[in-house]
Amino acid sequence: MNNKIKGIFNNVVAHWKTPAPGRYVSYKELSAYSVGGMGVQFIMAMSYSVAMNASCWLTGSVYGIKPLDMALIINIATIFNLIMTPLKGYLIDYSNSKAGKSRPWIFWLGPPSAILVILSAFIPQSWGYTAIVAIIGTIFILMNFITQFYLAMYTQLAQLISPNTNERAAVISISSIVYSLAPTITGAVLPLIASGFDDGLRDVAVYRIAFPVFCLIGLAMSYICYFGTKEKIVISKQEVKKIKFTEGFAKI
């Protein structure tokens, strides 16, 4: 057992910056992708706390949004995503950034994702029910599109980080173990924060503490992924099939 552990350690040290023969991803890059994914999941975990269902503490108890209004917001969000799907595909397909097709979106979608989540906890309750529903509804609709786009681009990066199928599978397996720690941590910390307030999770102060902390930490960690990885699968511009946006929308 000791020899096996020593062998693994020596292998990691030897190929920390340089991939092993026949491989494309070094251990340093694997670590960057995994830790960055943990950052992405910190933001996603906080975004899931802004849900449109009566059991959600923030929207249901703190802001007191009625189930009927929640259903309306969900329907609008669904229609909005349906309309925006062709645009999302267009942006991905015609992205010609030197950074690749997925990595640039991790860089640019991180800040708005974090900002939207944080803003959802700072709506003054004195503004009245209608204003709160309109604002939280708008935030939810935008967040539902942007944060899911953000997560999708991180997930897609695993398919572009290596042309080796087995290596991609290994990257996905290892990184998923690491980034799954994020929701575990937030799930344990949120109740601890809530225990410091009389109303527990019904107190908006819990979210005004947790959202900025976890979102900003998550944003910083996600940039480790952006700066520490590189897309290895490059699609030639000549190979991109030209499909009109209107045609794509018609298909949807």
Side-chain angles (χ1 to χ4, degrees):
M1 179 63 71
N2 289 334
N3 290 334
K4 187 175 182 179
I5 294 175
K6 185 177 180 180
I8 294 174
F9 176 78
N10 291 335
N11 184 54
V12 171
V13 173
H15 302 293
W16 177 251
K17 292 184 178 180
T18 304
R23 298 286 181 170
Y24 298 84
V25 181
S26 66
Y27 285 105
K28 182 179 180 181
E29 187 173 15
L30 173 59
S31 299
Y33 180 76
S34 302
V35 173
M38 192 174 175
V40 172
Q41 289 296 335
F42 271 135
I43 295 176
M44 296 306 301
M46 294 298 97
S47 74
Y48 296 147
S49 295
V50 190
M52 287 300 133
N53 59 67
S55 62
C56 177
W57 293 109
L58 180 62
T59 56
S61 297
V62 176
Y63 291 133
I65 299 178
K66 299 175 183 177
L68 184 61
D69 292 326
M70 288 183 178
L72 177 61
I73 292 171
I74 290 174
N75 287 331
I76 294 174
T78 301
I79 295 172
F80 180 78
N81 277 331
L82 191 63
I83 294 173
M84 296 299 288
T85 295
L87 177 60
K88 184 191 297 184
Y90 178 87
L91 292 173
I92 297 171
D93 290 340
Y94 289 85
S95 174
N96 294 319
S97 170
K98 292 181 180 179
K101 287 190 173 294
S102 295
R103 288 175 63 247
W105 297 109
I106 295 175
F107 183 89
W108 293 111
L109 294 178
S113 295
I115 290 171
L116 285 171
V117 174
I118 293 172
L119 284 178
S120 67
F122 287 87
I123 302 173
Q125 293 170 283
S126 61
W127 283 4
Y129 181 77
T130 302
I132 290 175
V133 171
I135 296 171
I136 198 71
T138 301
I139 290 175
F140 177 82
I141 292 168
L142 292 175
M143 189 172 64
N144 195 45
F145 173 74
I146 293 174
T147 56
Q148 291 302 322
F149 194 177
Y150 179 50
L151 176 62
M153 290 300 94
Y154 168 77
T155 303
Q156 180 176 283
L157 178 57
Q159 302 299 329
L160 303 173
I161 204 170
S162 171
N164 186 312
T165 303
N166 292 330
E167 187 173 27
R168 290 200 300 268
V171 168
I172 293 171
S173 298
I174 295 172
S175 62
S176 63
I177 295 173
V178 176
Y179 65 62
S180 63
L181 292 173
T184 302
I185 293 172
T186 58
V189 173
L190 269 177
L192 288 177
I193 297 174
S195 65
F197 298 90
D198 293 337
D199 291 333
L201 291 171
R202 293 185 178 88
D203 197 317
V204 70
V206 174
Y207 307 95
R208 290 179 178 177
I209 294 172
F211 283 8
V213 170
F214 282 115
C215 284
L216 293 178
I217 290 175
L219 182 61
M221 292 176 68
S222 71
Y223 282 132
I224 295 175
C225 175
Y226 174 78
F227 289 108
T229 61
K230 184 178 180 181
E231 294 183 17
K232 312 298 191 313
I233 299 178
V234 180
I235 301 175
S236 172
K237 294 180 182 179
Q238 284 73 28
E239 294 181 8
V240 177
K241 294 182 179 180
K242 302 295 182 180
I243 301 176
K244 293 182 179 179
F245 174 80
T246 51
E247 291 179 9
F249 185 78
K251 291 293 183 180
I252 296 297

